[in-house]
Amino acid sequence: MPYHKNKQQAFEAAQQGTMEAKERYDHLVKSDADYGSQLHHLKQEVNEAFEQINNALEVASEKQRKQLEQFRDDLQAIVEEVNMYE
């Protein structure tokens, strides 16, 4: 049973990390004086979320795997969007 619990915890950590990165991205304001600082924190969160996704993929069920791949795609879209403005 611990295996199942770890699988669920890994998935939830990846989900949470993705949601936090998306939220930070949604609140990113290019005209803010601290935009550079905001961008730095966003990149950190995105990198952490990618790491959590990769960890979760190692133990994920098939259903979770599809959702994790969607999280990864969502984060990749944020990365591409941010890189266009740098």
mmCIF file of all heavy atoms in Angstrom, residues 29-38:
data_model
loop_
_atom_site.group_PDB
_atom_site.id
_atom_site.type_symbol
_atom_site.label_atom_id
_atom_site.label_comp_id
_atom_site.label_asym_id
_atom_site.label_seq_id
_atom_site.Cartn_x
_atom_site.Cartn_y
_atom_site.Cartn_z
ATOM 1 N N VAL A 29 3.395 40.757 -14.361
ATOM 2 C CA VAL A 29 3.065 42.022 -15.021
ATOM 3 C C VAL A 29 4.355 42.622 -15.576
ATOM 4 O O VAL A 29 5.249 43.015 -14.822
ATOM 5 C CB VAL A 29 2.396 43.007 -14.029
ATOM 6 C CG1 VAL A 29 2.046 44.317 -14.735
ATOM 7 C CG2 VAL A 29 1.158 42.384 -13.412
ATOM 8 N N LYS A 30 4.432 42.670 -16.903
ATOM 9 C CA LYS A 30 5.654 43.129 -17.562
ATOM 10 C C LYS A 30 6.019 44.564 -17.211
ATOM 11 O O LYS A 30 7.184 44.924 -17.206
ATOM 12 C CB LYS A 30 5.525 42.988 -19.083
ATOM 13 C CG LYS A 30 5.481 41.555 -19.533
ATOM 14 C CD LYS A 30 5.241 41.472 -21.029
ATOM 15 C CE LYS A 30 4.847 40.081 -21.447
ATOM 16 N NZ LYS A 30 3.549 39.642 -20.933
ATOM 17 N N SER A 31 5.022 45.385 -16.902
ATOM 18 C CA SER A 31 5.287 46.793 -16.618
ATOM 19 C C SER A 31 5.698 47.041 -15.164
ATOM 20 O O SER A 31 6.100 48.151 -14.820
ATOM 21 C CB SER A 31 4.060 47.635 -16.965
ATOM 22 O OG SER A 31 2.949 47.192 -16.215
ATOM 23 N N ASP A 32 5.593 46.022 -14.309
ATOM 24 C CA ASP A 32 5.985 46.186 -12.907
ATOM 25 C C ASP A 32 7.484 46.426 -12.800
ATOM 26 O O ASP A 32 8.271 45.865 -13.555
ATOM 27 C CB ASP A 32 5.632 44.942 -12.082
ATOM 28 C CG ASP A 32 4.207 44.978 -11.562
ATOM 29 O OD1 ASP A 32 3.450 45.897 -11.953
ATOM 30 O OD2 ASP A 32 3.849 44.091 -10.773
ATOM 31 N N ALA A 33 7.850 47.245 -11.819
ATOM 32 C CA ALA A 33 9.264 47.531 -11.581
ATOM 33 C C ALA A 33 10.027 46.255 -11.205
ATOM 34 O O ALA A 33 11.204 46.121 -11.535
ATOM 35 C CB ALA A 33 9.400 48.572 -10.485
ATOM 36 N N ASP A 34 9.358 45.334 -10.535
ATOM 37 C CA ASP A 34 10.037 44.106 -10.097
ATOM 38 C C ASP A 34 9.773 42.928 -11.046
ATOM 39 O O ASP A 34 9.845 41.773 -10.647
ATOM 40 C CB ASP A 34 9.654 43.758 -8.659
ATOM 41 C CG ASP A 34 8.203 43.350 -8.510
ATOM 42 O OD1 ASP A 34 7.397 43.664 -9.414
ATOM 43 O OD2 ASP A 34 7.875 42.714 -7.492
ATOM 44 N N TYR A 35 9.523 43.241 -12.320
ATOM 45 C CA TYR A 35 9.256 42.192 -13.313
ATOM 46 C C TYR A 35 10.386 41.158 -13.355
ATOM 47 O O TYR A 35 10.138 39.960 -13.398
ATOM 48 C CB TYR A 35 9.044 42.803 -14.699
ATOM 49 C CG TYR A 35 8.880 41.777 -15.797
ATOM 50 C CD1 TYR A 35 7.721 41.017 -15.894
ATOM 51 C CD2 TYR A 35 9.886 41.549 -16.726
ATOM 52 C CE1 TYR A 35 7.562 40.070 -16.881
ATOM 53 C CE2 TYR A 35 9.736 40.593 -17.728
ATOM 54 C CZ TYR A 35 8.578 39.864 -17.804
ATOM 55 O OH TYR A 35 8.424 38.926 -18.778
ATOM 56 N N GLY A 36 11.624 41.630 -13.326
ATOM 57 C CA GLY A 36 12.767 40.711 -13.369
ATOM 58 C C GLY A 36 12.749 39.734 -12.207
ATOM 59 O O GLY A 36 13.008 38.544 -12.368
ATOM 60 N N SER A 37 12.407 40.239 -11.033
ATOM 61 C CA SER A 37 12.320 39.401 -9.841
ATOM 62 C C SER A 37 11.162 38.409 -9.965
ATOM 63 O O SER A 37 11.298 37.222 -9.641
ATOM 64 C CB SER A 37 12.135 40.279 -8.608
ATOM 65 O OG SER A 37 11.928 39.499 -7.464
ATOM 66 N N GLN A 38 10.019 38.905 -10.452
ATOM 67 C CA GLN A 38 8.855 38.025 -10.663
ATOM 68 C C GLN A 38 9.212 36.905 -11.641
ATOM 69 O O GLN A 38 8.851 35.747 -11.438
ATOM 70 C CB GLN A 38 7.683 38.815 -11.235
ATOM 71 C CG GLN A 38 7.029 39.786 -10.292
ATOM 72 C CD GLN A 38 5.890 40.536 -10.974
ATOM 73 O OE1 GLN A 38 5.221 39.999 -11.858
ATOM 74 N NE2 GLN A 38 5.674 41.774 -10.574
#
